[in-house]
Amino acid sequence: MSSPTFVPDPRITWRPAAELRRRFVDFFVARGHTFVPSASLVPAGDPTLLFTNSGMVQFKEVLTGAETRSYKRAVDYQRCLRVAGKHNDFEEVGRTPRHHTLFEMLGNWSFGDYFKREAIHWAWEFLTEDLGIPGDRLAATTYTFDDVAWSIWRDEIGLPPERMAKWGNVDEGDDKNFWRMAETGPCGPCSEIHFDRGPQFSEGPHCTPDHSETCPRWLEVWNLVFMEFDQRSDGTRLPLPFTSVDTGMGLERIASVVQGVLSNYDTDLFAPIHARMRELLGHDPDVFEAERFSYQVIADHSRAVTFLIGDGVLPSNEGRGYVLRKLLRRAVRHGRLLGRREPFMAESAAVVIDTMGEAYPHLIERREEILAAIAREESQFARTLDGGMVHLEAALAPLTSAERVVGRRPEELPADAPVLPGEVAFRLHDTYGFPIDLTVELAAEYGVAVDRAGFDRALAEQRERSRSGRKAELARHAELVGLYESILRRVGETRFLGYETTSADARIVAIVRDGIEYAEIEAVPEIELRAPAGAEVEVVLDQTPFYAEGGGQVGDQGILREEGGHAALVTVLDTQRPVGGLVVHRGRLHGRIKVGQYVSAVVDAERRARTMRNHTGTHLLHRALRNVVGESARQAGSLVTPDYLRFDFPFDRALTNDELRAIEAEVRRVIREDRPVTIAYLPMAEAIAAGADAFFDEKYGETVRTVRVQDYSFELCGGTHCRASGQVGSFVITGERSIGSGMRRIEALTGDGADAWLDARVATLERAAELLGAQSVDAVPERIAALQAELKELRRRLRSGAAGGLPTPAALAASAREVAGGVRLVAHAGPYESIEALKAAAREVRARLGSGVIALGLEADEPQVFVTVSEDLVARGLSAGALVQRAVREIDGRGGGRAEMAQGKGGRREGLGRALAAVEAGIVAAVIGTGAVAPARSGGSG
């Protein structure tokens, strides 16, 4: 039976997606809405989310009442990513016409202003009048018990009953057409608008608008959420103090409707990416249709990868960086399935930037950074695939001796084909990053099947372990957030006084311990002794001089005293802002405190001063870094403590010593110039237009606080700072290193910390001069050079054999002995000058030995192993790569190579002898078939 044909409605005018985006914003701006730019994909200040997954994320605290803004109506288009957690479309991407990882959500919002009637009428007006979609192609659903919305659709809009449906009953566990932000908090019914693709897509009587997820006839295009209840932890729902509207319409979906196509992937948001890939692959339209799945995965993931890097995320092995890496590598894998072996992701990303840059200018601004990061990761993945082949071949070796047949497919294998265990395939995937579908494909070429069910079980077990821990953590966090939000609604925001003073009188307005709120609490000595520091009590004041952690700066410490006295009631060990403007003082309780009591809040002023020096020093470092190496080295993360500062930035190489010295010199110059540091509050747009630096992982309000170092640095920042650059005192960079692909970290000290570090270095240098026998510190380099020359000469004499050094190649060949099955082995470790010298010796031994295995070890602080296997033994199943994998375990290293030749490097010199013995054991195991070559333990990051 052929698939039904989708016939575009001639009454609908074709419009590009960019126009739809503009029309939506203009429509609601004309109706009193304020346009709010899209937030980053990295949620600011929300640890419950890995990515921004809906339009409401940036308005979350406005919806809960924790934050107020100058407007009550808003309109936006928000970039969103759904790859994890409750909203996870990853596995469906490419398989269906409407699922994506990255998508755009068009939204209009009311915060205590209009409600259901206006939201429904405006939605209908935009769709039918502004876009010209015929009303007879639209349907609506409402929550079962939302009679108000139902009557608006029926009586005011005039929808006929056959294009309306009610569904959902949250009290019976059916959440359809009912939306909630979390397990507790704002929630309410919603009304969905659906587009009718045509009766030819109906699959029977069940195919009604309320089954659009399973019925291809109906496409949900717009969801109108009416928040009117507060969900309590006991299951009850109470009316909110104000009602809100949160609507979301997927741009990709409405584009498919207006452009008359059945699939989102056929809209002008994706078509240019397909076209570029077809050019690169030389595919005609028929091939494209046959390979649509892989094309759609590549197009979707290209968009997601481009936007993630544009928002400051870089590939890594954890968190957001891991998701980015997974997306990029999956796209590359599908490129290989299409026959593309050369890099291509930067090409497709360039098309994404060209297509989306008008709506998202930051993509154009960061174009070179985005493309460079993609090219780096794609190149690294190619090396991962090559390295993974060594491990895969080692795992396959004991299962088969069949010749490799390139192109043999898994379905062509006989029923009795040997099987690679699922846990081995999972280890290749989990430890070495080797994709399971590539394992299946390559194993088939060797005549081996893969236990996919076993792999899936191992993967599911790992995910469940991760998920269970994450669920418990999120549940606890959600419970605490609900408590803090209820306190915030009751007592209001904490007034912060810390910019002007480090001590103030304040009134206790809330007390929390172990997630429970108290009106009064007293320290119990035996409990206090057992409790971990900083976890005993949380105190909320009506006003405070304590700075709550934010913007990379740690929270203040200090004490809460009896008002007018000296007795400490609470030793404050940390200060946090869990929700909105609520400041929580966490620390150790010493006496009795109660709500309503007045206390003296005293910040540790010396600790604050050291923190301020480091924070102002961070701003100076940021500007100096960009002046020296370029504007692309923008802040990607920071930590400001009283003891040191840490600064992360995107860069694809280590800084040179000259660059580090230049940065230090510039910061010290600005410190000596004692430039004024001034604070100003500006509208966000005005601050950005004036050149202030803003950062992707920070949350900013409409009005922002700016910190300017006169004629030098200008940033958005809420932290505490020196009054002038001279107060920073001193500055020294103590380290610079890689923290992941394309990401670097600088650590530095200021003030007395920098002075102490420099004093310690001078003392170390003086001690070194003494031990070296140098007459002065200045003579240390000359003395070291002389000792190095002596050492070099001693090594030369040792290599020459003057002291019974290295055996000659002839002697090594003569030492060969048979270890199993006629296989001869030469094994020797010695102080070779270099790995090149060792390899040269191995070549000479091979010329004399003929058939056999040669295993040579380089004695050094970082020992190395080099193994070669003659061609006849490779044909018998011996692999140098597999033997090296055994050997490097004994020297805590890593290695790899081909079946004929491989090498490894480690960090445990004393294990070199055992490493050579492991080579012999590996030969025996392979020859007599007693076991497979085991994978190496993972080593350092190299």
Side-chain angles (χ1 to χ4, degrees):
M1 181 178 177
S2 61
S3 299
T5 301
F6 177 68
V7 180
D9 193 322
R11 297 172 293 175
I12 303 176
T13 301
W14 191 98
R15 304 179 194 278
E19 181 184 333
L20 299 179
R21 198 188 287 117
R22 287 194 300 271
R23 278 179 170 269
F24 184 85
V25 172
D26 292 345
F27 180 89
F28 284 100
V29 167
R31 288 155 182 77
H33 292 63
T34 296
F35 171 65
V36 180
S38 172
S40 168
L41 287 176
V42 179
D46 190 345
T48 66
L49 289 176
L50 200 60
F51 298 107
T52 297
N53 59 15
S54 66
M56 57 72 56
V57 171
Q58 70 164 317
F59 299 115
K60 182 176 179 179
E61 294 191 344
V62 184
L63 294 169
T64 63
E67 177 187 345
T68 56
R69 298 193 181 179
S70 62
Y71 50 81
K72 290 195 171 183
R73 299 180 179 184
V75 60
D76 72 336
Y77 54 86
Q78 174 64 51
R79 54 193 186 269
C80 304
L81 192 75
R82 292 185 177 176
V83 290
K86 176 182 177 183
H87 301 291
N88 182 2
D89 293 337
F90 184 77
E91 296 301 331
E92 297 302 316
V93 168
R95 303 181 189 279
T96 75
R98 60 183 176 80
H99 283 99
H100 309 289
T101 54
L102 181 116
F103 62 96
E104 290 182 79
M105 189 68 82
L106 309 177
N108 60 289
W109 309 80
S110 165
F111 310 116
D113 189 39
Y114 64 83
F115 203 41
K116 297 179 183 179
R117 175 164 286 102
E118 294 88 344
I120 292 173
H121 275 275
W122 282 336
W124 185 258
E125 182 183 349
F126 178 72
L127 291 173
T128 60
E129 297 182 21
D130 198 272
L131 298 187
I133 300 173
D136 58 23
R137 299 297 296 268
L138 299 174
T141 65
T142 64
Y143 182 59
T144 301
F145 305 110
D146 189 355
D147 295 332
V148 174
W150 176 268
S151 64
I152 294 172
W153 282 114
R154 182 191 62 194
D155 302 333
E156 300 180 27
I157 300 300
L159 274 184
E162 63 269 19
R163 286 191 286 117
M164 295 175 62
K166 291 182 177 182
W167 61 335
N169 186 336
V170 70
D171 291 327
E172 294 183 0
D174 184 356
D175 281 351
K176 295 181 179 66
N177 269 31
F178 194 90
W179 185 92
R180 63 182 86 207
M181 188 179 295
E183 294 302 317
T184 60
C187 61
C190 53
S191 180
E192 298 172 349
I193 303 174
H194 302 257
F195 177 74
D196 184 359
R197 288 193 176 107
Q200 67 270 33
F201 289 95
S202 178
E203 295 182 343
H206 74 281
C207 208
T208 57
D210 55 340
H211 288 82
S212 64
E213 290 297 312
T214 57
C215 171
R217 175 175 180 175
W218 300 99
L219 175 69
E220 179 195 337
V221 293
W222 205 341
N223 189 15
L224 317 177
V225 178
F226 311 121
M227 278 175 283
E228 52 184 317
F229 301 112
D230 182 12
Q231 178 74 52
R232 299 299 179 91
S233 58
D234 62 3
T236 60
R237 286 183 299 280
L238 302 178
L240 286 168
F242 63 89
T243 58
S244 297
V245 172
D246 159 9
T247 86
M249 176 163 59
L251 176 61
E252 294 79 7
R253 293 193 181 195
I254 194 63
S256 74
V257 171
V258 173
Q259 294 178 15
V261 293
L262 191 60
S263 170
N264 296 357
Y265 289 98
D266 292 331
T267 67
D268 65 341
L269 291 166
F270 294 89
I273 309 173
H274 298 327
R276 181 60 181 136
M277 285 304 301
R278 282 178 52 196
E279 289 176 17
L280 293 174
L281 292 162
H283 286 175
D284 59 29
D286 291 338
V287 175
F288 167 76
E289 287 300 330
E291 302 290 353
R292 178 177 275 272
F293 173 46
S294 288
Y295 267 96
Q296 292 181 172
V297 169
I298 291 170
D300 175 273
H301 291 7
S302 295
R303 286 168 29 112
V305 165
T306 302
F307 272 87
L308 280 170
I309 297 175
D311 278 336
V313 180
L314 289 173
S316 70
N317 288 327
E318 59 184 15
R320 299 182 179 101
Y322 175 74
V323 173
L324 168 59
R325 173 164 285 168
K326 181 178 179 180
L327 288 166
L328 193 149
R329 292 185 171 190
R330 188 170 188 240
V332 171
R333 173 61 188 140
H334 278 273
R336 291 198 171 211
L337 290 175
L338 292 174
R340 179 75 179 183
R341 290 295 185 269
E342 300 79 12
F344 66 89
M345 282 295 289
E347 295 278 354
S348 59
V351 178
V352 175
I353 295 171
D354 293 340
T355 304
M356 308 292 282
E358 180 183 355
Y360 299 95
H362 71 288
L363 296 179
I364 298 174
E365 295 168 6
R366 301 181 184 178
R367 182 186 186 96
E368 297 308 315
E369 299 170 49
I370 293 169
L371 300 184
I374 290 173
R376 271 197 315 271
E377 179 64 15
E378 191 167 5
S379 174
Q380 180 176 327
F381 184 43
R383 293 193 297 271
T384 296
L385 291 178
D386 293 339
M389 281 297 300
V390 173
H391 301 290
L392 177 58
E393 288 176 349
L396 294 174
L399 298 175
T400 180
S401 59
E403 289 291 326
R404 180 179 180 182
V405 179
V406 176
R408 178 161 51 193
R409 301 176 63 82
E411 56 268 25
E412 298 172 2
L413 296 173
D416 60 350
V419 177
L420 183 72
E423 57 268 23
V424 176
F426 176 73
R427 186 172 64 243
L428 288 167
H429 159 82
D430 190 52
T431 305
Y432 304 112
F434 209 65
I436 179 60
D437 49 359
L438 187 57
T439 297
V440 171
E441 177 184 309
L442 293 174
E445 294 183 352
Y446 283 94
V448 177
V450 176
D451 176 14
R452 277 303 300 263
F455 172 87
D456 291 340
R457 281 194 301 272
L459 181 62
E461 289 170 3
Q462 184 205 53
R463 286 176 173 171
E464 182 56 36
R465 288 192 297 271
S466 174
R467 189 181 297 117
S468 60
R470 179 71 173 157
K471 277 184 177 179
E473 178 185 342
L474 289 178
R476 173 63 175 165
H477 179 81
E479 184 179 335
L480 289 174
V481 166
L483 173 61
Y484 296 136
E485 286 177 343
S486 68
I487 294 173
L488 177 62
R489 288 194 291 269
R490 187 177 73 247
V491 306
E493 296 186 352
T494 308
R495 183 183 173 206
F496 178 56
L497 310 173
Y499 293 138
E500 296 82 28
T501 183
T502 55
S503 63
D505 292 338
R507 182 170 57 89
I508 297 176
V509 295
I511 302 168
V512 176
R513 182 170 190 164
D514 294 332
I516 301 172
E517 192 173 358
Y518 292 85
E520 184 174 0
I521 193 169
E522 182 177 11
V524 180
E526 58 269 24
I527 294 178
E528 303 307 317
L529 288 173
R530 292 198 306 269
E536 294 74 23
V537 69
E538 299 178 341
V539 179
V540 180
L541 306 175
D542 63 340
Q543 60 181 17
T544 183
F546 283 77
Y547 179 84
E549 180 176 338
Q553 179 176 326
V554 298
D556 277 334
Q557 295 182 357
I559 58 173
L560 304 182
R561 291 178 180 157
E562 293 178 345
E563 185 184 24
H566 298 286
L569 297 172
V570 177
T571 298
V572 178
L573 300 170
D574 190 19
T575 309
Q576 294 288 327
R577 186 181 289 106
V579 293
L582 189 76
V583 176
V584 173
H585 308 76
R586 295 173 175 164
R588 186 180 296 279
L589 180 64
H590 300 295
R592 177 187 294 271
I593 56 174
K594 62 182 179 179
V595 172
Q597 178 180 354
Y598 282 86
V599 295
S600 293
V602 183
V603 174
D604 182 337
E606 177 54 35
R607 183 178 183 273
R608 163 79 77 82
R610 295 199 308 272
T611 305
M612 289 166 62
R613 286 194 287 269
N614 280 332
H615 205 153
T616 302
T618 300
H619 285 219
L620 301 183
L621 167 62
H622 186 197
R623 184 69 266 162
L625 172 68
R626 296 173 80 176
N627 287 349
V628 170
V629 303
E631 291 296 320
S632 65
R634 65 172 60 85
Q635 178 176 321
S638 68
L639 176 64
V640 178
T641 78
D643 302 315
Y644 71 100
L645 66 91
R646 192 176 76 196
F647 186 89
D648 300 339
F649 62 100
F651 211 57
D652 59 4
R653 62 172 175 83
L655 298 183
T656 66
N657 286 334
D658 287 344
E659 288 169 334
L660 290 170
R661 300 292 80 79
I663 294 166
E664 279 186 330
E666 183 167 324
V667 172
R668 290 169 182 167
R669 173 180 60 78
V670 176
I671 291 172
R672 290 193 301 273
E673 291 168 349
D674 198 24
R675 300 182 182 222
V677 178
T678 55
I679 308 297
Y681 291 86
L682 301 172
M684 175 69 169
E686 182 180 331
I688 297 300
D693 291 323
F695 309 108
F696 74 91
D697 58 347
E698 290 299 319
K699 182 176 182 179
Y700 301 108
E702 294 175 87
T703 300
V704 294
R705 182 174 183 264
T706 65
V707 177
R708 184 189 295 272
V709 179
Q710 187 181 69
D711 299 328
Y712 190 69
S713 168
F714 186 33
E715 297 188 9
L716 306 189
C717 183
T720 58
H721 284 272
C722 302
R723 293 189 300 275
S725 61
Q727 292 183 338
V728 176
S730 183
F731 178 84
V732 62
I733 294 174
T734 59
E736 191 272 343
R737 61 188 174 91
S738 169
I739 56 170
S741 177
M743 188 68 73
R744 310 293 300 180
R745 171 171 291 170
I746 290 176
E747 294 181 342
L749 303 172
T750 65
D752 54 356
D755 292 342
W757 188 88
L758 291 169
D759 288 345
R761 286 300 170 109
V762 170
T764 299
L765 190 55
E766 290 174 343
R767 176 61 176 156
E770 179 183 342
L771 294 173
L772 289 167
Q775 294 183 349
S776 67
V777 167
D778 293 337
V780 165
E782 181 181 349
R783 179 61 180 147
I784 290 175
L787 291 173
Q788 286 178 328
E790 292 178 20
L791 182 59
K792 185 176 182 181
E793 173 60 19
L794 288 172
R795 284 177 172 168
R796 186 195 64 77
R797 294 174 60 195
L798 183 64
R799 286 194 302 273
S800 69
L806 296 169
T808 65
L812 285 174
S815 71
R817 56 192 178 83
E818 183 177 324
V819 293
V823 177
R824 293 190 299 161
L825 170 67
V826 172
H828 177 74
Y832 290 91
E833 180 179 1
S834 64
I835 189 64
E836 288 74 22
L838 182 149
K839 290 179 179 179
R843 284 194 294 271
E844 293 188 41
V845 175
R846 171 64 62 207
R848 291 170 169 80
L849 180 66
S851 175
V853 177
I854 301 168
L856 300 183
L858 173 62
E859 292 179 349
D861 291 337
E862 292 185 339
Q864 298 191 52
V865 176
F866 179 72
V867 176
T868 70
V869 178
S870 58
E871 291 183 6
D872 63 309
L873 296 182
V874 170
R876 290 176 56 185
L878 279 181
S879 167
L883 295 174
V884 163
Q885 290 304 310
R886 279 184 174 266
V888 292
R889 288 189 299 177
E890 304 300 334
I891 55 174
D892 284 346
R894 57 171 58 177
R898 305 188 308 275
E900 300 84 2
M901 183 184 304
Q903 69 184 76
K905 185 177 183 179
R908 190 164 49 156
R909 182 172 188 156
E910 66 274 13
L912 194 54
R914 293 192 298 275
L916 296 181
V919 171
E920 180 175 345
I923 296 170
V924 173
V927 170
I928 67 176
T930 57
V933 178
R937 286 181 282 188
S938 57
S941 58

